[in-house]
């Protein structure tokens, strides 16, 4: 059964700069609840900056971001896959996957089952006791994806989420994320340079162009 949610995204006149000038300048768009938006554009156009603003990890210079009924205090309802994975190197794969559930106060037995299921779902069975440094780039990327999915967030933000994965594996993971989205009504926003990912995954697209400084 789909979870009732009004976790869409509305961006109004969003601007952000870092010293030399704006990276984002007056950006506005709407993403209805349960839909998927891809953000495309060349390097330096503000794609990652936009995701940090949406996640509440940075503040805009101007403009607003609304995420419907999702509370900023309830961090588990918004998950963010970083470009550099964002895994804790001193924690095992199991511990990295379990951390969001632990922060939500989920019981240990429930966490263990959820982690085991996620490892199997992403083809990482048998790697739970390894540390990130012992994994390939593609394996680390799958752990990052799993950590974001394990809480069934209302809003899923992904920065180049399928880099380092071969095409067959990317298609399989995209299919599984889509299935979860159908079940839970997730709103998804991701960045990509891959036309194949856009065709498979995006309901709509926003293109960012470099701002003139």
């Amino acid at each position: 059964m789909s979870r009732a949610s009004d976790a869409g995204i509305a961006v109004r006149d969003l601007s952000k700069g870092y010293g030399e000038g704006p990276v984002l300048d007056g950006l506005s768009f709407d993403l209805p609840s349960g839909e998927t938006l891809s953000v495309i554009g060349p390097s330096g156009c503000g794609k990652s900056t936009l995701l940090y603003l949406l996640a509440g990890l940075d503040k805009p210079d101007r403009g607003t971001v609304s995420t419907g009924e999702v509370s900023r205090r309830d961090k588990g309802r918004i998950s963010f896959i970083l470009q550099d994975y964002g895994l804790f190197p001193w924690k095992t794969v199991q511990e990295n996957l379990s951390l969001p559930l632990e922060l939500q106060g989920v019981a240990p037995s429930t966490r263990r089952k959820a982690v085991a299921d996620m490892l199997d779902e992403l083809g990482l069975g048998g790697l739970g006791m390894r540390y990130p440094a012992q994994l390939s780039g593609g394996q680390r990327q799958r752990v990052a994806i799993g950590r974001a999915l394990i809480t069934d967030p209302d809003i899923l933000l992904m920065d180049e989420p399928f880099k380092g994965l071969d095409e067959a594996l990317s298609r399989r993971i995209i299919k599984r994320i889509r299935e979860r989205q159908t079940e839970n009504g997730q709103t998804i926003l991701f960045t990509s340079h891959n036309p194949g990912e856009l065709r498979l995954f995006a309901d709509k697209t926003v293109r960012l162009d470099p701002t003139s400084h």
Side-chain angles (χ1 to χ4, degrees):
M1 180 180 296
S2 296
R3 179 173 57 238
S5 173
D6 185 28
I9 296 173
V11 171
R12 295 289 179 271
D13 195 30
L14 194 65
S15 297
K16 180 68 178 178
Y18 297 101
E20 295 182 357
V23 177
L24 298 173
D25 190 10
L27 177 66
S28 297
F29 67 85
D30 291 296
L31 177 59
S33 177
E35 293 190 8
T36 299
L37 173 73
S38 66
V39 180
I40 63 173
S43 297
C45 69
K47 298 189 299 296
S48 296
T49 296
L50 173 61
L51 266 64
Y52 272 83
L53 294 171
L54 292 174
L57 300 177
D58 202 353
K59 294 182 179 180
D61 297 332
R62 188 181 74 242
T64 60
V65 172
S66 171
T67 51
E69 295 178 354
V70 177
S71 168
R72 288 295 189 196
R73 298 184 186 88
D74 190 1
K75 297 295 186 182
R77 307 325 305 165
I78 300 178
S79 289
F80 186 9
I81 301 173
L82 303 166
Q83 268 198 37
D84 63 355
Y85 314 122
L87 303 177
F88 293 101
W90 59 88
K91 290 183 178 292
T92 65
V93 168
Q94 288 181 350
E95 290 168 338
N96 269 287
L97 288 174
S98 181
L99 182 60
L101 299 174
E102 184 178 352
L103 293 174
Q104 288 185 344
V106 176
S109 59
T110 303
R111 296 201 308 263
R112 286 193 293 271
K113 183 179 186 309
V115 168
D117 290 346
M118 186 60 68
L119 288 170
D120 289 341
E121 185 173 331
L122 296 176
L124 295 169
L127 301 181
M129 296 305 294
R130 293 192 185 183
Y131 291 89
Q134 297 173 305
L135 303 177
S136 69
Q139 289 169 337
R140 288 196 293 272
Q141 187 67 17
R142 278 181 279 166
V143 176
I145 291 170
R147 191 176 62 180
L149 293 178
I150 203 163
T151 59
D152 283 327
D154 290 324
I155 293 178
L156 180 60
L157 306 174
M158 304 189 292
D159 201 357
E160 298 284 349
F162 310 114
K163 67 177 183 180
L165 305 181
D166 62 52
E167 183 176 352
L169 184 56
S170 293
R171 286 176 175 270
R172 182 163 68 84
I173 292 176
I174 287 172
K175 180 175 182 291
R176 188 64 190 105
I177 293 175
R178 276 297 206 186
E179 290 170 350
R180 283 174 169 266
Q181 185 180 32
T182 299
E183 294 166 2
N184 300 323
Q186 290 167 336
T187 305
I188 299 174
L189 188 147
F190 74 106
T191 69
S192 178
H193 289 99
N194 187 321
E197 293 173 5
L198 303 181
R199 288 192 298 270
L200 281 172
F201 201 21
D203 297 317
K204 56 183 66 175
T205 298
V206 166
R207 179 177 178 84
L208 300 183
D209 295 311
T211 57
S212 57
H213 296 170

